[in-house]
Amino acid sequence: MTKSHLIGLGSCMAAVFFLVLLSLSVGAGIYGFSDAFGYLTGSPLLASDAQLTMVMETLRIPRTLCAVIVGVSLALAASLLQSATRNPLAEPGLLGVNAGAVLGLVIGLTYFDVESTQGYLVWSGLGALTGNTVVLIIGHLVGKSHPLKLILVGVALSATFGGLSNYVLLSNQVVLDQFRFWNLGSLAAADIDAMLMILPFLVVAVILTFALTRQLTLMQLGEQQAKSLGINTNVVRIGVLIASTLFTACAISVAGPISFVGFLSAYCARMVEPVALSLQVVFSALFGVIFLFIADILARWLIQPFEMPNGVILALIGAPVLIAVVLRGGFRTLLAVK
């Protein structure tokens, strides 16, 4: 790890710390930064304020923790998919994985009366598994020389899964009303018990991610070169499939489908460290948390006392960045689709 890497890590961690404090200071209630900071540092006067305690423990602290979990999950899922498909634009929201997870959850809500976090996790996981499987198969077939073809496949998958979700929802007005706001992606319903329930799955996915970094780095050399170095590429892809599915299901089960976090964070991480995937995933996780914090803080601040869904904020940020990345000179090869 070089000096520039250490500076980058320190800067990202300082930004995360600052955004945590800001996240705890913004939102429902009349309490600002000084109140939140005093509560966190154990001020006797503020600790005895029942309303402040309720706001912090029921709303702001769960929401802040949820931003960390969802940001890390979406960022690492994108890093894995980009490495496995050798496509710098790969991301669960852009490739239809989120839409597959939503379809799975819609089926669970409509036909199986799913209400618990466990049910959300299982059904969104089944949908994400379907989407990830298709993406990895297509990514293997089209290869590095056709990155935009994979994105077009993702667009087609998203449209197909979205159409099926809408068809299923039309048969149940109650589920449709429940589904509308959640489908835009938001941390407003963050719940500590739900996050504790998904935490073991998230830990397994993180461990699997770091176990795969060396093999995925070697796979960037090409399929045959990786095999000649003793890498079982099929096993690696199965590992990526499991980890990215767990990440996507964990994020969607607590926050709904949020796009562009993974793309933005993985892109920034690759700019900081273009080669070593073990460092890339660390930077990607930090950038994922930073971007989601920024979106969530803006969502609560822009139209007070109401709030916007996080997915809307990230779409407004991420879509122009995606267009700029594709049009940049450094990515002209992305347009050379054979």
Side-chain angles (χ1 to χ4, degrees):
M1 187 180 295
T2 65
K3 183 179 179 180
S4 61
H5 289 144
L6 292 174
I7 294 173
L9 284 173
S11 300
C12 288
M13 293 177 71
V16 169
F17 179 75
F18 170 76
L19 289 169
V20 165
L21 293 179
L22 192 57
S23 176
L24 293 171
S25 306
V26 177
I30 60 174
Y31 304 102
F33 179 83
S34 59
D35 300 305
F37 187 77
Y39 174 84
L40 293 174
T41 53
S43 168
L45 179 62
L46 293 172
S48 62
D49 187 331
Q51 187 176 355
L52 173 60
T53 300
M54 184 276 293
V55 167
M56 295 298 292
E57 295 184 357
T58 307
L59 300 174
R60 296 188 185 178
I61 291 177
R63 189 163 186 155
T64 300
L65 294 175
C66 189
V68 173
I69 288 176
V70 174
V72 168
S73 297
L74 294 175
L76 294 185
S79 288
L80 288 173
L81 289 173
Q82 288 184 7
S83 298
T85 60
R86 292 187 291 164
N87 186 329
L89 300 181
E91 196 256 0
L94 298 177
L95 297 183
V97 179
N98 281 359
V102 169
L103 175 59
L105 185 54
V106 165
I107 291 172
L109 289 170
T110 305
Y111 299 118
F112 298 92
D113 298 323
V114 171
E115 294 181 354
S116 65
T117 304
Q118 294 95 324
Y120 274 47
L121 184 64
V122 169
W123 284 99
S124 61
L126 290 173
L129 179 64
T130 303
N132 273 322
T133 302
V134 175
V135 165
L136 289 174
I137 291 173
I138 299 298
H140 175 59
L141 293 176
V142 301
K144 186 178 180 180
S145 61
H146 298 78
L148 285 184
K149 282 188 177 180
L150 184 61
I151 301 303
L152 294 176
V153 170
V155 171
L157 278 178
S158 294
T160 302
F161 289 148
L164 291 172
S165 296
N166 291 332
Y167 173 77
V168 173
L169 285 168
L170 287 175
S171 65
N172 192 319
Q173 185 64 39
V174 175
V175 174
L176 178 60
D177 292 338
Q178 173 188 350
F179 177 80
R180 281 174 178 166
F181 185 80
W182 176 88
N183 190 47
L184 294 173
S186 174
L187 305 182
D191 179 73
I192 290 290
D193 292 334
M195 287 182 279
L196 289 175
M197 199 283 295
I198 68 170
L199 192 59
F201 300 96
L202 183 61
V203 170
V204 169
V206 170
I207 292 172
L208 187 55
T209 297
F210 281 98
L212 293 170
T213 53
R214 176 181 172 274
Q215 294 93 321
L216 284 169
T217 300
L218 294 175
M219 284 175 63
Q220 304 311 300
L221 300 172
E223 189 85 9
Q224 296 305 318
Q225 290 89 335
K227 288 181 178 179
S228 67
L229 292 170
I231 303 300
N232 189 327
T233 55
N234 290 328
V235 171
V236 174
R237 287 194 180 91
I238 291 173
V240 170
L241 177 66
I242 294 171
S244 58
T245 297
L246 287 174
F247 281 133
T248 305
C250 286
I252 285 182
S253 64
V254 296
I258 298 178
S259 298
F260 292 108
V261 174
F263 163 70
L264 291 169
S265 57
Y267 175 68
C268 291
R270 206 166 45 249
M271 291 178 65
V272 176
E273 174 47 60
V275 179
L277 189 59
S278 57
L279 279 175
Q280 267 187 38
V281 295
V282 173
F283 278 109
S284 185
L286 289 170
F287 281 123
V289 173
I290 289 170
F291 284 123
L292 195 51
F293 266 136
I294 291 172
D296 190 48
I297 291 166
L298 289 174
R300 286 180 274 173
W301 176 72
L302 286 176
I303 55 173
Q304 289 180 323
F306 306 103
E307 68 174 73
M308 298 175 66
N310 301 91
V312 173
I313 299 291
L314 283 160
L316 292 174
I317 297 172
V321 174
L322 176 62
I323 294 170
V325 167
V326 173
L327 295 180
R328 273 188 60 186
F331 281 85
R332 281 177 187 157
T333 53
L334 291 175
L335 302 176
V337 181
K338 298 181 181 179

mmCIF file of all heavy atoms in Angstrom, residues 3-37:
data_model
loop_
_atom_site.group_PDB
_atom_site.id
_atom_site.type_symbol
_atom_site.label_atom_id
_atom_site.label_comp_id
_atom_site.label_asym_id
_atom_site.label_seq_id
_atom_site.Cartn_x
_atom_site.Cartn_y
_atom_site.Cartn_z
ATOM 1 N N LYS A 3 1.810 5.490 -0.202
ATOM 2 C CA LYS A 3 1.438 6.670 0.586
ATOM 3 C C LYS A 3 0.140 7.286 0.078
ATOM 4 O O LYS A 3 -0.710 7.728 0.856
ATOM 5 C CB LYS A 3 2.574 7.692 0.533
ATOM 6 C CG LYS A 3 2.316 8.926 1.388
ATOM 7 C CD LYS A 3 3.493 9.887 1.316
ATOM 8 C CE LYS A 3 3.215 11.144 2.151
ATOM 9 N NZ LYS A 3 4.359 12.085 2.083
ATOM 10 N N SER A 4 -0.027 7.311 -1.268
ATOM 11 C CA SER A 4 -1.250 7.885 -1.838
ATOM 12 C C SER A 4 -2.477 7.075 -1.443
ATOM 13 O O SER A 4 -3.560 7.635 -1.228
ATOM 14 C CB SER A 4 -1.138 7.963 -3.364
ATOM 15 O OG SER A 4 -0.966 6.675 -3.921
ATOM 16 N N HIS A 5 -2.302 5.742 -1.336
ATOM 17 C CA HIS A 5 -3.414 4.897 -0.891
ATOM 18 C C HIS A 5 -3.797 5.230 0.554
ATOM 19 O O HIS A 5 -4.992 5.315 0.892
ATOM 20 C CB HIS A 5 -3.039 3.420 -0.996
ATOM 21 C CG HIS A 5 -2.959 2.933 -2.405
ATOM 22 N ND1 HIS A 5 -2.039 1.998 -2.818
ATOM 23 C CD2 HIS A 5 -3.692 3.238 -3.505
ATOM 24 C CE1 HIS A 5 -2.192 1.751 -4.106
ATOM 25 N NE2 HIS A 5 -3.188 2.494 -4.537
ATOM 26 N N LEU A 6 -2.783 5.400 1.402
ATOM 27 C CA LEU A 6 -3.050 5.722 2.807
ATOM 28 C C LEU A 6 -3.748 7.075 2.938
ATOM 29 O O LEU A 6 -4.678 7.225 3.738
ATOM 30 C CB LEU A 6 -1.737 5.730 3.594
ATOM 31 C CG LEU A 6 -1.055 4.366 3.774
ATOM 32 C CD1 LEU A 6 0.313 4.542 4.432
ATOM 33 C CD2 LEU A 6 -1.942 3.444 4.607
ATOM 34 N N ILE A 7 -3.299 8.034 2.127
ATOM 35 C CA ILE A 7 -3.943 9.353 2.152
ATOM 36 C C ILE A 7 -5.397 9.227 1.691
ATOM 37 O O ILE A 7 -6.313 9.818 2.274
ATOM 38 C CB ILE A 7 -3.170 10.349 1.268
ATOM 39 C CG1 ILE A 7 -1.786 10.621 1.868
ATOM 40 C CG2 ILE A 7 -3.958 11.649 1.103
ATOM 41 C CD1 ILE A 7 -0.890 11.464 0.982
ATOM 42 N N GLY A 8 -5.606 8.432 0.626
ATOM 43 C CA GLY A 8 -6.956 8.233 0.116
ATOM 44 C C GLY A 8 -7.860 7.569 1.139
ATOM 45 O O GLY A 8 -9.010 7.992 1.336
ATOM 46 N N LEU A 9 -7.357 6.527 1.796
ATOM 47 C CA LEU A 9 -8.149 5.841 2.820
ATOM 48 C C LEU A 9 -8.477 6.767 3.978
ATOM 49 O O LEU A 9 -9.608 6.797 4.474
ATOM 50 C CB LEU A 9 -7.387 4.607 3.329
ATOM 51 C CG LEU A 9 -7.360 3.383 2.418
ATOM 52 C CD1 LEU A 9 -6.424 2.322 2.991
ATOM 53 C CD2 LEU A 9 -8.758 2.804 2.245
ATOM 54 N N GLY A 10 -7.457 7.532 4.416
ATOM 55 C CA GLY A 10 -7.689 8.479 5.517
ATOM 56 C C GLY A 10 -8.724 9.529 5.150
ATOM 57 O O GLY A 10 -9.599 9.871 5.966
ATOM 58 N N SER A 11 -8.659 10.033 3.914
ATOM 59 C CA SER A 11 -9.614 11.048 3.466
ATOM 60 C C SER A 11 -11.029 10.478 3.411
ATOM 61 O O SER A 11 -11.995 11.137 3.834
ATOM 62 C CB SER A 11 -9.210 11.581 2.089
ATOM 63 O OG SER A 11 -7.922 12.158 2.123
ATOM 64 N N CYS A 12 -11.156 9.254 2.876
ATOM 65 C CA CYS A 12 -12.478 8.624 2.784
ATOM 66 C C CYS A 12 -13.066 8.355 4.169
ATOM 67 O O CYS A 12 -14.262 8.590 4.406
ATOM 68 C CB CYS A 12 -12.392 7.321 1.993
ATOM 69 S SG CYS A 12 -12.144 7.534 0.222
ATOM 70 N N MET A 13 -12.232 7.895 5.083
ATOM 71 C CA MET A 13 -12.725 7.607 6.431
ATOM 72 C C MET A 13 -13.111 8.900 7.156
ATOM 73 O O MET A 13 -14.101 8.932 7.900
ATOM 74 C CB MET A 13 -11.666 6.834 7.207
ATOM 75 C CG MET A 13 -11.432 5.430 6.660
ATOM 76 S SD MET A 13 -10.129 4.519 7.501
ATOM 77 C CE MET A 13 -10.904 4.185 9.078
ATOM 78 N N ALA A 14 -12.347 9.968 6.922
ATOM 79 C CA ALA A 14 -12.703 11.263 7.519
ATOM 80 C C ALA A 14 -14.037 11.762 6.952
ATOM 81 O O ALA A 14 -14.878 12.294 7.686
ATOM 82 C CB ALA A 14 -11.601 12.280 7.255
ATOM 83 N N ALA A 15 -14.235 11.565 5.642
ATOM 84 C CA ALA A 15 -15.490 11.973 5.012
ATOM 85 C C ALA A 15 -16.666 11.169 5.570
ATOM 86 O O ALA A 15 -17.741 11.723 5.832
ATOM 87 C CB ALA A 15 -15.399 11.790 3.491
ATOM 88 N N VAL A 16 -16.454 9.857 5.767
ATOM 89 C CA VAL A 16 -17.511 9.013 6.332
ATOM 90 C C VAL A 16 -17.862 9.480 7.743
ATOM 91 O O VAL A 16 -19.047 9.593 8.101
ATOM 92 C CB VAL A 16 -17.082 7.533 6.344
ATOM 93 C CG1 VAL A 16 -18.041 6.686 7.177
ATOM 94 C CG2 VAL A 16 -17.008 6.982 4.920
ATOM 95 N N PHE A 17 -16.845 9.781 8.556
ATOM 96 C CA PHE A 17 -17.078 10.243 9.930
ATOM 97 C C PHE A 17 -17.883 11.545 9.941
ATOM 98 O O PHE A 17 -18.854 11.695 10.695
ATOM 99 C CB PHE A 17 -15.741 10.438 10.652
ATOM 100 C CG PHE A 17 -15.880 10.940 12.059
ATOM 101 C CD1 PHE A 17 -16.307 10.094 13.080
ATOM 102 C CD2 PHE A 17 -15.595 12.265 12.371
ATOM 103 C CE1 PHE A 17 -16.459 10.566 14.386
ATOM 104 C CE2 PHE A 17 -15.729 12.738 13.671
ATOM 105 C CZ PHE A 17 -16.166 11.877 14.679
ATOM 106 N N PHE A 18 -17.489 12.479 9.083
ATOM 107 C CA PHE A 18 -18.204 13.748 9.004
ATOM 108 C C PHE A 18 -19.654 13.535 8.568
ATOM 109 O O PHE A 18 -20.589 14.139 9.125
ATOM 110 C CB PHE A 18 -17.493 14.693 8.030
ATOM 111 C CG PHE A 18 -18.270 15.935 7.705
ATOM 112 C CD1 PHE A 18 -18.360 16.974 8.614
ATOM 113 C CD2 PHE A 18 -18.930 16.055 6.485
ATOM 114 C CE1 PHE A 18 -19.091 18.122 8.317
ATOM 115 C CE2 PHE A 18 -19.662 17.194 6.185
ATOM 116 C CZ PHE A 18 -19.748 18.226 7.106
ATOM 117 N N LEU A 19 -19.865 12.675 7.572
ATOM 118 C CA LEU A 19 -21.213 12.430 7.057
ATOM 119 C C LEU A 19 -22.075 11.683 8.066
ATOM 120 O O LEU A 19 -23.298 11.866 8.096
ATOM 121 C CB LEU A 19 -21.138 11.655 5.736
ATOM 122 C CG LEU A 19 -20.598 12.464 4.543
ATOM 123 C CD1 LEU A 19 -20.310 11.554 3.363
ATOM 124 C CD2 LEU A 19 -21.600 13.549 4.145
ATOM 125 N N VAL A 20 -21.459 10.824 8.898
ATOM 126 C CA VAL A 20 -22.207 10.167 9.974
ATOM 127 C C VAL A 20 -22.767 11.214 10.931
ATOM 128 O O VAL A 20 -23.955 11.182 11.295
ATOM 129 C CB VAL A 20 -21.317 9.160 10.729
ATOM 130 C CG1 VAL A 20 -21.955 8.756 12.057
ATOM 131 C CG2 VAL A 20 -21.072 7.914 9.882
ATOM 132 N N LEU A 21 -21.925 12.155 11.340
ATOM 133 C CA LEU A 21 -22.385 13.221 12.244
ATOM 134 C C LEU A 21 -23.470 14.072 11.589
ATOM 135 O O LEU A 21 -24.462 14.435 12.226
ATOM 136 C CB LEU A 21 -21.206 14.108 12.647
ATOM 137 C CG LEU A 21 -20.127 13.454 13.522
ATOM 138 C CD1 LEU A 21 -19.009 14.450 13.815
ATOM 139 C CD2 LEU A 21 -20.721 12.932 14.822
ATOM 140 N N LEU A 22 -23.289 14.353 10.286
ATOM 141 C CA LEU A 22 -24.282 15.158 9.577
ATOM 142 C C LEU A 22 -25.603 14.398 9.438
ATOM 143 O O LEU A 22 -26.685 14.974 9.590
ATOM 144 C CB LEU A 22 -23.743 15.538 8.197
ATOM 145 C CG LEU A 22 -24.508 16.607 7.417
ATOM 146 C CD1 LEU A 22 -24.610 17.889 8.223
ATOM 147 C CD2 LEU A 22 -23.824 16.868 6.077
ATOM 148 N N SER A 23 -25.506 13.092 9.172
ATOM 149 C CA SER A 23 -26.700 12.267 9.045
ATOM 150 C C SER A 23 -27.486 12.222 10.351
ATOM 151 O O SER A 23 -28.723 12.229 10.351
ATOM 152 C CB SER A 23 -26.316 10.847 8.619
ATOM 153 O OG SER A 23 -27.435 9.994 8.582
ATOM 154 N N LEU A 24 -26.764 12.179 11.454
ATOM 155 C CA LEU A 24 -27.420 12.151 12.765
ATOM 156 C C LEU A 24 -27.997 13.508 13.160
ATOM 157 O O LEU A 24 -28.733 13.598 14.142
ATOM 158 C CB LEU A 24 -26.425 11.691 13.831
ATOM 159 C CG LEU A 24 -25.955 10.235 13.720
ATOM 160 C CD1 LEU A 24 -24.811 9.974 14.694
ATOM 161 C CD2 LEU A 24 -27.111 9.278 13.981
ATOM 162 N N SER A 25 -27.650 14.545 12.409
ATOM 163 C CA SER A 25 -28.089 15.901 12.751
ATOM 164 C C SER A 25 -29.230 16.392 11.876
ATOM 165 O O SER A 25 -29.753 17.485 12.107
ATOM 166 C CB SER A 25 -26.908 16.879 12.605
ATOM 167 O OG SER A 25 -25.788 16.444 13.349
ATOM 168 N N VAL A 26 -29.599 15.627 10.852
ATOM 169 C CA VAL A 26 -30.596 16.066 9.872
ATOM 170 C C VAL A 26 -31.772 15.106 9.894
ATOM 171 O O VAL A 26 -31.598 13.893 10.034
ATOM 172 C CB VAL A 26 -29.981 16.106 8.453
ATOM 173 C CG1 VAL A 26 -31.029 16.487 7.422
ATOM 174 C CG2 VAL A 26 -28.817 17.075 8.406
ATOM 175 N N GLY A 27 -32.976 15.656 9.730
ATOM 176 C CA GLY A 27 -34.135 14.784 9.612
ATOM 177 C C GLY A 27 -35.271 15.192 10.509
ATOM 178 O O GLY A 27 -35.390 16.358 10.913
ATOM 179 N N ALA A 28 -36.113 14.203 10.833
ATOM 180 C CA ALA A 28 -37.304 14.475 11.635
ATOM 181 C C ALA A 28 -36.926 15.065 12.991
ATOM 182 O O ALA A 28 -35.924 14.696 13.597
ATOM 183 C CB ALA A 28 -38.091 13.174 11.833
ATOM 184 N N GLY A 29 -37.735 15.993 13.466
ATOM 185 C CA GLY A 29 -37.469 16.616 14.757
ATOM 186 C C GLY A 29 -36.783 17.959 14.615
ATOM 187 O O GLY A 29 -36.320 18.341 13.540
ATOM 188 N N ILE A 30 -36.693 18.672 15.712
ATOM 189 C CA ILE A 30 -36.132 20.027 15.719
ATOM 190 C C ILE A 30 -34.655 20.031 16.103
ATOM 191 O O ILE A 30 -34.050 21.089 16.240
ATOM 192 C CB ILE A 30 -36.915 20.923 16.698
ATOM 193 C CG1 ILE A 30 -36.836 20.329 18.117
ATOM 194 C CG2 ILE A 30 -38.362 21.082 16.246
ATOM 195 C CD1 ILE A 30 -37.455 21.220 19.187
ATOM 196 N N TYR A 31 -34.076 18.878 16.259
ATOM 197 C CA TYR A 31 -32.722 18.772 16.813
ATOM 198 C C TYR A 31 -31.659 18.858 15.721
ATOM 199 O O TYR A 31 -31.774 18.226 14.668
ATOM 200 C CB TYR A 31 -32.586 17.462 17.583
ATOM 201 C CG TYR A 31 -33.622 17.309 18.674
ATOM 202 C CD1 TYR A 31 -34.742 16.499 18.488
ATOM 203 C CD2 TYR A 31 -33.507 18.015 19.862
ATOM 204 C CE1 TYR A 31 -35.706 16.385 19.476
ATOM 205 C CE2 TYR A 31 -34.467 17.912 20.856
ATOM 206 C CZ TYR A 31 -35.564 17.094 20.657
ATOM 207 O OH TYR A 31 -36.522 16.986 21.631
ATOM 208 N N GLY A 32 -30.629 19.652 15.999
ATOM 209 C CA GLY A 32 -29.549 19.846 15.045
ATOM 210 C C GLY A 32 -28.253 19.189 15.474
ATOM 211 O O GLY A 32 -28.233 18.290 16.312
ATOM 212 N N PHE A 33 -27.151 19.717 14.925
ATOM 213 C CA PHE A 33 -25.841 19.101 15.141
ATOM 214 C C PHE A 33 -25.442 19.102 16.615
ATOM 215 O O PHE A 33 -24.978 18.094 17.142
ATOM 216 C CB PHE A 33 -24.787 19.840 14.312
ATOM 217 C CG PHE A 33 -23.403 19.300 14.493
ATOM 218 C CD1 PHE A 33 -22.972 18.191 13.779
ATOM 219 C CD2 PHE A 33 -22.518 19.896 15.394
ATOM 220 C CE1 PHE A 33 -21.688 17.685 13.949
ATOM 221 C CE2 PHE A 33 -21.230 19.398 15.571
ATOM 222 C CZ PHE A 33 -20.824 18.285 14.841
ATOM 223 N N SER A 34 -25.602 20.230 17.284
ATOM 224 C CA SER A 34 -25.170 20.322 18.685
ATOM 225 C C SER A 34 -25.953 19.356 19.565
ATOM 226 O O SER A 34 -25.384 18.743 20.489
ATOM 227 C CB SER A 34 -25.323 21.754 19.199
ATOM 228 O OG SER A 34 -26.673 22.172 19.102
ATOM 229 N N ASP A 35 -27.249 19.193 19.287
ATOM 230 C CA ASP A 35 -28.062 18.255 20.065
ATOM 231 C C ASP A 35 -27.616 16.816 19.824
ATOM 232 O O ASP A 35 -27.461 16.034 20.773
ATOM 233 C CB ASP A 35 -29.542 18.398 19.687
ATOM 234 C CG ASP A 35 -30.070 19.796 19.939
ATOM 235 O OD1 ASP A 35 -29.930 20.266 21.082
ATOM 236 O OD2 ASP A 35 -30.585 20.413 19.007
ATOM 237 N N ALA A 36 -27.407 16.478 18.553
ATOM 238 C CA ALA A 36 -26.986 15.114 18.225
ATOM 239 C C ALA A 36 -25.605 14.813 18.813
ATOM 240 O O ALA A 36 -25.378 13.733 19.378
ATOM 241 C CB ALA A 36 -26.963 14.927 16.703
ATOM 242 N N PHE A 37 -24.684 15.770 18.694
ATOM 243 C CA PHE A 37 -23.341 15.548 19.213
ATOM 244 C C PHE A 37 -23.367 15.422 20.733
ATOM 245 O O PHE A 37 -22.692 14.573 21.311
ATOM 246 C CB PHE A 37 -22.414 16.694 18.789
ATOM 247 C CG PHE A 37 -20.976 16.475 19.141
ATOM 248 C CD1 PHE A 37 -20.190 15.612 18.395
ATOM 249 C CD2 PHE A 37 -20.398 17.125 20.235
ATOM 250 C CE1 PHE A 37 -18.857 15.400 18.719
ATOM 251 C CE2 PHE A 37 -19.070 16.914 20.563
ATOM 252 C CZ PHE A 37 -18.304 16.047 19.801
#
